[in-house]
Every structure is written in structure tokens, then in C-alpha cells.
Amino acid sequence: MLWSDPENEPPEELRDTQEMLRRLGVLVALAMVLAMLVIGVR
């Protein structure tokens, strides 16, 4: 690797966006499970 190569570390806003999407995905998955449980109980 050359000393001038950029680090393969994503920029700050991209990391924040990825973190937000990950949290959103977990929330959506939990909401789906909860909805299935509610539908199954009825």
C-alpha cells in the first residue's frame, strides 16, 4: 500500500447513516414480530 492511499474508513456521516439504518432495521424487525404475535393472539 502506498502512504497516500486513503484509509478504508467511511466518512463520519456515512457511519452515522449506517448506524441509524441498522437501528431502524432492528426496530422494524421487532415491530414485525410484535405484529405477528398480536395477529396470532386474535
Side-chain angles (χ1 to χ4, degrees), residues 2-29:
L2 299 174
W3 63 270
S4 60
D5 284 350
E7 303 170 18
N8 60 3
E9 176 112 351
E12 188 70 34
E13 61 269 9
L14 185 61
R15 272 182 288 172
D16 289 346
T17 306
Q18 286 175 337
E19 187 66 32
M20 195 179 69
L21 286 173
R22 201 171 297 127
R23 286 196 192 125
L24 198 63
V26 170
L27 282 175
V28 168

